[in-house]
């Protein structure tokens, strides 16, 4: 039976989104996570600046080095982000729906003239607003630090690449927010859904890089007589690795912030013929290179959101 | 039937199954405009499920519902715009103040902020929460939360207020306060549907009641009619006397529906009027020694117990 629904499914959407964003901005939980992110960001950029100053004048994309330079023992700013963004997103979303159940506010809110769609989407948008604000602040902070310490403004292409990087980070955060929200609808208790999301985060940041070579070795063993089997194994391993949003994000940032990156997979000599090693790619070429990664993350986000949506629509309003 | 007389809530053959278990089993219901209608029955008898069905918050397995002439499944927004709901075990956003909680609901309901502010102030004043309107709801007592929930219904300006177990978990004083507020709401012409497992407490408040048992409505009607039909009377007189058989003495006395011996020298008399003088007169005339007599209104609890006699009321699902 198809039923024509009355009115807009998004009546009340902006009300929910703004309330959620305001709640997050006032919550001690988010303050704590953001403090952690900002401190590590400043630390890693500060360390990078020391390193970069030594090479001023040798590099066309000095500003982008701020994001990618690692100074022992600190990892680079982008590695930090790859690690911490999921944490921020999980903190924003892990109790989105089951929190409404446990506070017993759900039936009261849904007795107002809105659809469930508006509540779920509004919560997702509210989280995205907060993420956008945080990432933008962070990006401006790093750029400002760079201008102050390096004494020169970023070039046009550097800004464009920086913005593309900002967008990739935003999508990456969106994926983890969708993960957290999916768990918040599938699992009844907020503590359990937080644990589930954190477990997935640990798996992808720590265990996935260790697991993929093992699994690829078992699935596609290398035959010493056939060199193509080795290529096949690497392809399998890379395919597996790319299930992890962290890998997709890592690849995207690599290509965007290192203009010299020519490929995110195996490179055959034929593809390099005529190429100047180490020469930067134009921005458009880099964007074309990372597009599959970005699209993959967006697709993951949509799938995860759909899971949350379907499960929430079918739920009884009573816990 | 003219439009003014049409019931504001109508349910026919309403059924809700959870897997094999039938929580609401083919109930028929009609609530008229301006009525206070009670859904009464023990825990687990299907009252909350019925309410959720009326609001379109859960889908029926079978049956039809009309609220203000609309199907809550097809026109959920119109129905929810005009019906206020006080859920059982109501929850608020604890980190927000009372005012902020109500403002959020009002924005969801699509009220303009000036209008919303006015209504919220009025509603908070009516439930006597004006002094603490800026305090976080985390600091509120159970009774205050319940009143805040009622304020939300008031601020919404609903034509129908559906209140699920409004007094459960409240101390006697908060209960009386809340019942008083509900009476005021009814006096304003709002149609009220309320559920409770405390039958006797609700009987003075409700114009009509439906008695629920295991997902079915056993009885529906005015309290006085139900007591008269089931118990045979609206009054219960307990008589203590020696030296007579009261049942024989009162055999052809008027207004008396039943005389039940409780123990030696003690009877219960069901009657549809205050028959104490007559009982005293006949007892003394028959040579008996009257040592005590009390009268009270028949309670719905007795109606319930009598009507569903012999049924197993343990309804743990
Ligand atoms: N989501 C559910 N799944 C299965 N059974 C349920 C569900 N919700 C309620 N029930 C059962 O339906 C019955 C009626 O519940 P309810 O309407 O809440 O009763 P009441 O409000 O009269 O106490 C209960 O036995 C309850 O256990
Ligand atoms: Mg109930």
């Amino acid at each position: 039976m198809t039923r024509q629904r009355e009115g807009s499914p998004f009546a009340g959407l902006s009300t929910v989104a703004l309330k959620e964003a305001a709640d997050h901005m006032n919550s001690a939980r988010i303050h704590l996570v953001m403090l952690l992110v900002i401190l590590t960001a400043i630390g890693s950029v500060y360390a990078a600046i020391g390193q970069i100053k030594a090479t001023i004048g040798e590099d066309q994309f000095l500003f982008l080095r701020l994001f990618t330079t690692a100074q022992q023992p600190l990892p680079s700013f982008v590695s930090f982000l790859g690690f911490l963004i999921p944490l921020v997103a999980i903190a924003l979303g892990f109790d989105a729906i089951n929190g409404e159940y446990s506070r017993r506010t759900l039936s009261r809110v849904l007795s107002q003239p809105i659809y469930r769609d508006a509540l779920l989407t509004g919560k997702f948008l509210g989280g995205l607003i907060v993420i956008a604000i945080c990432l933008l602040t962070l990006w401006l902070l790093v750029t400002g630090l760079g201008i102050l310490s390096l004494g020169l403004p970023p070039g046009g292409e550097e800004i464009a690449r920086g913005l593309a990087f900002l967008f990739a980070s935003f999508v990456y955060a969106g994926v983890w927010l969708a993960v957290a929200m999916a768990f918040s609808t599938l699992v009844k208790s907020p503590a359990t859904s937080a644990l589930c999301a954190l477990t997935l985060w640990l798996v992808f940041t720590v265990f996935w890089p260790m697991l993929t070579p093992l699994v690829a070795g078992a699935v596609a063993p290398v035959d010493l007589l056939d060199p193509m089997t080795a290529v096949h194994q690497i392809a399998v391993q890379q395919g597996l690795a790319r299930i992890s949003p962290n890998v997709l994000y890592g690849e995207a940032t690599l290509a965007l912030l290192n203009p010299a990156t020519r490929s995110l997979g195996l490179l055959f000599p034929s593809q390099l013929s005529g190429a100047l090693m180490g020469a930067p790619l134009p921005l458009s070429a880099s964007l074309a290179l990372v597009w599959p990664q970005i699209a993959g993350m967006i697709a993951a986000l949509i799938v995860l959101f759909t899971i949350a949506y379907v499960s929430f629509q079918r739920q009884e309003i009573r816990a | 039937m003219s439009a003014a007389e049409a019931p504001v809530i109508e349910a026919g053959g309403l059924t809700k199954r959870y897997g094999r278990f039938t929580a609401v089993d083919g109930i028929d219901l009609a609530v008229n405009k301006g009525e206070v209608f009670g859904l009464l029955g023990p825990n687990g008898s299907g009252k909350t499920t019925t309410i959720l069905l009326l609001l379109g918050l859960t889908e029926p397995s079978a049956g039809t519902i009309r609220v203000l002439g609309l199907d809550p499944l097809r026109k959920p927004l119109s129905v929810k715009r005009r019906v206020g709901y006080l859920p059982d075990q109501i929850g608020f956003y604890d980190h927000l103040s009372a005012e902020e909680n109500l403002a959020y609901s009002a924005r969801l309901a699509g009220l303009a902020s000036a209008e919303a502010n006015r209504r919220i102030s009025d509603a908070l004043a009516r439930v006597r929460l004006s002094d603490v309107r800026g305090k976080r709801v985390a600091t509120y007592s159970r009774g205050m939360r319940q009143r805040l929930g009622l304020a939300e219904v008031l601020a919404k300006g609903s034509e129908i207020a559906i209140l699920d177990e409004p007094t459960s978990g409240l101390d006697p004083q908060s209960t009386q306060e809340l019942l008083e507020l509900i009476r005021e709401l009814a006096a304003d012409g709002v149609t009220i549907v309320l559920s409770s497992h405390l039958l006797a407490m609700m009987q003075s408040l409700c114009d009509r009641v439906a008695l629920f048992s295991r997902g079915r409505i056993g009885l529906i009607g005015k309290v006085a009619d139900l007591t008269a039909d089931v118990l045979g009377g609206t009054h219960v007189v307990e008589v203590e006397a020696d030296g007579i058989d009261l049942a024989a003495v009162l055999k052809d006395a008027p207004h008396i529906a039943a005389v039940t011996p409780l123990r030696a020298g003690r009877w219960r008399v069901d009657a549809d009027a205050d028959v104490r003088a007559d009982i005293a007169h006949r007892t003394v005339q028959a040579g008996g020694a009257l040592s005590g007599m009390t009268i009270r209104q028949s309670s719905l609890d007795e109606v319930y117990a009598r009507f569903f006699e012999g049924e197993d009321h343990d309804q743990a699902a």
Side-chain angles (χ1 to χ4, degrees), chain A residues 1-9 11-13 15-20 22-23 26 99-100 103-116 118-119 123 315-318, chain B residues 16 18 23 48-49 52 55 57-59 73-81 83-85 87-96 101-102 104-110 149 152 156:
Chain A
M1 182 176 72
T2 55
R3 202 160 49 215
Q4 184 80 44
R5 284 209 295 186
E6 170 206 23
S8 160
L13 179 70
T15 303
V16 176
L18 291 177
K19 172 195 175 270
E20 288 300 316
D23 278 0
N26 288 322
E100 299 279 336
R103 276 176 300 200
R104 304 192 173 284
T105 43
L106 189 64
S107 49
R108 201 170 54 80
V109 168
L110 288 184
S111 76
Q112 302 304 330
I114 61 166
Y115 285 108
R116 294 185 186 201
L119 188 67
K123 280 180 170 270
Q315 262 165 26
E316 278 297 322
I317 203 164
R318 266 180 298 185
Chain B
K16 175 71 185 181
Y18 292 112
T48 299
T49 310
L52 294 178
L55 284 161
L57 292 178
T58 192
E59 286 199 35
L73 282 183
R74 282 168 196 277
K75 301 271 179 213
L77 301 191
S78 308
V79 169
K80 291 198 277 187
R81 206 168 282 129
V83 179
Y85 173 43
D88 60 346
Q89 301 180 306
I90 190 166
F92 291 93
Y93 299 106
D94 277 349
H95 61 282
L96 299 180
N101 268 289
L102 295 198
Y104 180 49
S105 308
R107 279 200 302 277
L108 288 178
E152 185 175 284
K156 201 172 174 183

Side-chain angles (χ1 to χ4, degrees), chain A residues 88-103:
Chain A
V88 177
I90 291 172
L92 287 169
F94 76 89
D95 65 345
I97 297 301
N98 53 19
E100 299 279 336
Y101 275 105
S102 61
R103 276 176 300 200

Side-chain angles (χ1 to χ4, degrees), chain A residues 316 318, chain B residues 18 21-24 41-50 88 164-165 195 315-317:
Chain A
E316 278 297 322
R318 266 180 298 185
Chain B
Y18 292 112
F21 180 76
T22 308
V24 171
N43 290 326
S45 55
K47 307 179 298 290
T48 299
T49 310
T50 305
D88 60 346
D164 197 355
E165 303 274 1
S195 88
Q315 298 183 354

Side-chain angles (χ1 to χ4, degrees), chain B residues 199-263:
Chain B
L199 280 57
M201 187 186 287
M202 293 299 151
Q203 75 183 73
S204 62
L205 189 61
C206 298
D207 297 320
R208 284 194 309 139
V209 298
L211 297 188
F212 277 69
S213 171
R214 302 157 156 225
R216 297 216 176 89
I217 294 182
L219 283 171
I220 192 164
K222 294 204 168 77
V223 176
D225 294 347
L226 295 187
T227 50
D229 288 354
V230 176
L231 300 175
T234 50
H235 294 72
V236 178
V237 186
E238 281 196 13
V239 183
E240 274 181 81
D242 284 325
I244 49 157
D245 174 18
L246 196 65
V249 168
L250 295 178
K251 204 162 61 187
D252 39 40
H255 299 298
I256 287 173
V259 180
T260 327
L262 297 174
R263 51 185 152 84

Side-chain angles (χ1 to χ4, degrees), chain A residues 16-264:
Chain A
V16 176
L18 291 177
K19 172 195 175 270
E20 288 300 316
D23 278 0
H24 289 317
M25 293 304 226
N26 288 322
S27 98
R29 185 207 298 166
I30 303 302
H31 290 172
L32 200 71
V33 179
M34 282 316 297
L35 193 69
L36 180 71
V37 172
I38 288 181
L39 287 182
T40 46
I42 292 179
S44 65
V45 170
Y46 190 76
I49 286 169
Q51 179 102 332
I52 292 168
K53 271 193 171 159
T55 58
I56 280 189
E58 291 167 24
D59 200 322
Q60 189 188 344
F61 294 104
L62 201 59
F63 243 86
L64 298 182
R65 296 281 168 271
L66 277 180
F67 296 110
T68 55
T69 304
Q71 164 82 303
Q72 288 302 327
L74 284 179
S76 67
F77 178 71
V78 282
S79 325
F80 261 131
L81 276 195
F83 183 72
L84 289 178
I85 281 177
L87 214 56
V88 177
I90 291 172
L92 287 169
F94 76 89
D95 65 345
I97 297 301
N98 53 19
E100 299 279 336
Y101 275 105
S102 61
R103 276 176 300 200
R104 304 192 173 284
T105 43
L106 189 64
S107 49
R108 201 170 54 80
V109 168
L110 288 184
S111 76
Q112 302 304 330
I114 61 166
Y115 285 108
R116 294 185 186 201
D117 312 44
L119 188 67
L120 188 73
T121 317
K123 280 180 170 270
F124 190 65
L125 280 186
L128 286 182
I129 291 172
V130 175
I131 286 171
I133 293 174
C134 293
L135 286 176
L136 193 66
T137 313
L138 211 56
W139 188 80
L140 290 174
L141 193 75
V142 171
T143 310
L145 271 179
I147 293 176
L148 281 181
S149 56
L150 298 177
L152 77 173
E157 181 168 348
E158 285 177 310
I159 292 187
R161 282 179 181 272
L163 285 175
F165 160 65
L166 194 60
F167 180 71
S169 307
F170 180 67
V171 173
Y172 176 58
V175 172
W176 280 99
L177 184 62
V179 166
M181 285 192 56
F183 278 122
S184 89
T185 56
L186 295 171
V187 180
K188 273 283 158 271
S189 128
T192 315
S193 64
L195 265 182
C196 292
L198 288 174
T199 307
L200 198 66
W201 171 70
L202 258 187
V203 165
F204 279 143
T205 44
V206 179
F207 299 114
W208 206 249
M210 299 182 210
L211 272 176
T212 46
L214 294 180
V215 176
V219 173
V222 175
D223 178 354
L224 286 177
L225 296 178
D226 181 358
M228 278 321 282
T229 54
V231 175
H232 180 57
Q233 187 185 52
I234 290 177
V236 168
Q237 183 184 331
Q238 201 168 39
L240 280 175
R242 282 176 178 163
I243 292 174
S244 158
N246 304 37
V247 169
L248 294 180
Y249 176 66
E251 290 180 349
T253 53
L254 178 70
L256 287 172
L257 298 178
N258 281 322
T261 309
R262 314 208 125 247
S263 160
L264 294 170

